[in-house]
Amino acid sequence: MELPVDLQQTADTSNAAETTRPPTRMTRQQTLTLISMASVNFSSMICYSILGPFFPNEAVKKGASQTVIGLIFGCYAVCNLIGSLIMGKYIVQIGAKFMLVAGLFVSSGCTILFGLLDRAPAGAAFISICFIVRSIDALGFAAAMTSTFAMTGKIFPNNVATVLGCLEVFTGLGLILGPPLGGWLYQSFGYEVPFMLLGCFLLIMVPFNIYVLPSIEAEPSKDSFLPLLSKVKILLICYVIFTLSAGLGFLDATLSLFAMAKFNLSAGFVGLIFLGLSLPYCLGSPLIGYISDKYPSTRSWFMVTGGAVTAFGFVMLGPVPFLHIQGQLWLQVFMLVVIGFSLGMTVIPTFPEIITCAYEHGYDEGLSTLGMVSGLFGAFWSAGMFYGPIVGGLITQNLSFEWAAAIHGGVVFLGAFLLAVYCLCRPLQPQSVPKDSQPTDENTPLLTD
């Protein structure tokens, strides 16, 4: 049925207006969401990263071994893993905005409580309270970050990688400021002040996000995580996520002690060394996100290249003993710079690529699917954060930091290699796609189930 002439002209005018409308202008909801997500990333990561320069040394004074320190870092990851899966599955029922705000509130309280742990008796009491507070903090962090990723995918469906890359600037700023600020505050004012100050800062973010964060309504889905993990590419990407987070967890638990012993550095100077890891990640992420959105076919090769370079950085971080290269401070800082930039190359494309794979395999394009993908990302990231400190701590304690870093480099390289093999072999069977199938473009999978 044809429209009347005047209605047809109105429709044509409306379509023309939509066509000529500037595509880069964000709506008010998108602007508020971006501000909220940036504040969450910054405040959460600055509170998370202050531990690296001085907590391992403080825990040693309280009677904790290198392995126990690794377990304290690792328990955070286990609870984060469990929390990510639960929050991702039930994000629609709980509510994305409530989940984020409640997570921030819990994390702020736990950060403040962690600053009181120096008053706990040394030995079992100190270690037990560390486990309890870190576990609860992890659940709050899981709620906040799962909601952050899901809402980003919902409100910026066509620019997920670009927005994540921009948000990682604030993640990087939190990682950059956390270690040196925490180290300086620890040296100047003692153990309690860093946690009290930053915990209160995180608490201020709660009413701010209540005000600026938009509410999102959605219908729950009956889909689950297991079908996602049955897809080879998604499974490989999840393994890549696991290896990268394991590397960061390993460095958090071991690098400060190694640098202090090897180069006779203070806690404040160790905090500056961590800048070499976070600053390149912060600066490179927006560019990588933009390229990933503009050329989606590059995402897999970003992950492969970034993984290979990250593996090289870990091998040379010690460096590995069989190379017979003398370990020097400048070399360690340079390798941290290499690892930081390559981490951005690898991490940024993972989330939008999993979303694309999920949609290609029939998952609903809504908040429920985004929540599951976000929970899956958080779960594997947390699994790596559990594996890295514990296994890395054990290898460091029984062999050396140099060998532990090199072994982890091999684990990272395996993920990059397997993904490269998949990407190279996948185009070899284009005939598996029926000729009468739907039109394809660069985002359409060559192999279908």
Side-chain angles (χ1 to χ4, degrees):
M1 182 179 68
E2 295 185 358
L3 292 171
V5 175
D6 56 342
L7 293 180
Q8 182 67 48
Q9 290 176 345
T10 303
D12 292 342
T13 302
S14 177
N15 292 336
E18 292 179 2
T19 304
T20 58
R21 186 178 301 164
T24 57
R25 184 175 180 82
M26 293 192 299
T27 65
R28 181 177 181 273
Q29 184 185 54
Q30 289 176 326
T31 303
L32 291 175
T33 302
L34 195 59
I35 293 172
S36 177
M37 299 300 102
S39 70
V40 171
N41 282 25
F42 176 75
S43 56
S44 297
M45 295 314 298
I46 195 172
C47 290
Y48 172 80
S49 62
I50 61 173
L51 290 177
F54 62 88
F55 177 76
N57 191 48
E58 192 73 23
V60 168
K61 295 178 184 179
K62 290 286 189 177
S65 66
Q66 179 70 64
T67 302
V68 171
I69 294 172
L71 287 171
I72 292 174
F73 279 90
C75 80
Y76 184 94
V78 170
C79 294
N80 205 327
L81 185 156
I82 297 171
S84 294
L85 292 175
I86 296 175
M87 304 298 178
K89 177 64 177 176
Y90 297 104
I91 187 172
V92 174
Q93 290 87 340
I94 297 173
K97 180 176 179 177
F98 176 80
M99 182 184 292
L100 189 150
V101 172
L104 282 178
F105 181 78
V106 171
S107 292
S108 65
C110 290
T111 301
I112 294 172
L113 287 176
F114 212 79
L116 301 175
L117 289 181
D118 63 326
R119 304 184 183 186
F126 172 81
I127 294 171
S128 299
I129 298 174
C130 281
F131 277 115
I132 294 172
V133 176
R134 286 287 283 176
S135 298
I136 298 174
D137 189 15
L139 295 176
F141 185 81
M145 297 312 295
T146 299
S147 179
T148 297
F149 276 88
M151 294 182 72
T152 300
K154 176 67 175 178
I155 298 177
F156 301 92
N158 299 321
N159 304 98
V160 176
T162 302
V163 173
L164 287 179
C166 293
L167 291 178
E168 289 306 299
V169 171
F170 294 92
T171 299
L173 285 175
L175 292 172
I176 288 171
L177 294 177
L181 181 61
W184 177 76
L185 290 173
Y186 172 75
Q187 277 193 316
S188 302
F189 304 103
Y191 177 83
E192 295 183 3
V193 172
F195 295 101
M196 295 293 180
L197 184 63
L198 297 179
C200 290
F201 175 73
L202 190 62
L203 188 61
I204 294 174
M205 293 295 102
V206 173
F208 173 74
N209 281 278
I210 291 176
Y211 175 74
V212 304
L213 193 66
S215 298
I216 298 178
E217 302 294 334
E219 293 294 328
S221 172
K222 297 182 179 180
D223 294 321
S224 63
F225 292 99
L226 292 180
L228 276 178
L229 289 175
S230 67
K231 314 305 177 186
V232 176
K233 187 172 184 179
I234 292 179
L235 190 60
L236 290 175
I237 294 175
C238 289
Y239 177 75
V240 169
I241 294 169
F242 167 82
T243 61
L244 297 177
S245 62
L248 291 177
F250 162 71
L251 294 177
D252 279 341
T254 60
L255 181 61
S256 61
L257 294 176
F258 173 75
M260 287 178 179
K262 180 79 172 180
F263 306 111
N264 195 28
L265 302 177
S266 64
F269 203 89
V270 170
L272 293 176
I273 289 179
F274 277 88
L275 287 175
L277 180 66
S278 52
L279 188 59
Y281 178 81
C282 170
L283 297 177
S285 294
L287 177 62
I288 294 167
Y290 174 78
I291 297 174
S292 296
D293 276 334
K294 191 172 182 62
Y295 306 102
S297 59
T298 63
R299 290 174 186 164
S300 295
W301 292 109
F302 264 132
M303 288 184 271
V304 170
T305 306
V309 175
T310 301
F312 171 77
F314 272 101
V315 169
M316 296 298 296
L317 189 61
V320 63
F322 65 74
L323 294 178
H324 303 292
I325 299 175
Q326 180 65 34
Q328 299 183 42
L329 182 58
W330 72 265
L331 179 62
Q332 184 170 95
V333 173
F334 179 70
M335 286 300 108
L336 286 175
V337 171
V338 171
I339 293 171
F341 184 77
S342 59
L343 278 174
M345 290 180 62
T346 316
V347 170
I348 297 300
T350 56
F351 185 69
E353 190 66 10
I354 295 177
I355 293 175
T356 300
C357 292
Y359 290 162
E360 288 174 349
H361 289 95
Y363 278 72
D364 296 333
E365 298 188 18
L367 182 63
S368 184
T369 297
L370 293 170
M372 282 191 291
V373 173
S374 180
L376 195 66
F377 180 96
F380 276 87
W381 185 270
S382 301
M385 293 297 287
F386 175 77
Y387 166 90
I390 294 177
V391 177
L394 285 171
I395 298 175
T396 300
Q397 188 170 326
N398 292 282
L399 294 177
S400 65
F401 174 86
E402 293 87 345
W403 275 113
I407 291 171
H408 182 73
V411 173
V412 175
F413 181 78
L414 177 62
F417 174 76
L418 292 176
L419 187 59
V421 171
Y422 175 84
C423 293
L424 290 173
C425 293
R426 192 181 180 207
L428 297 180
Q429 302 177 5
Q431 66 273 16
S432 62
V433 182
K435 292 182 179 180
D436 57 348
S437 62
Q438 297 179 351
T440 61
D441 56 24
E442 62 181 358
N443 293 322
T444 305
L446 295 175
L447 296 179
T448 56
D449 292 340

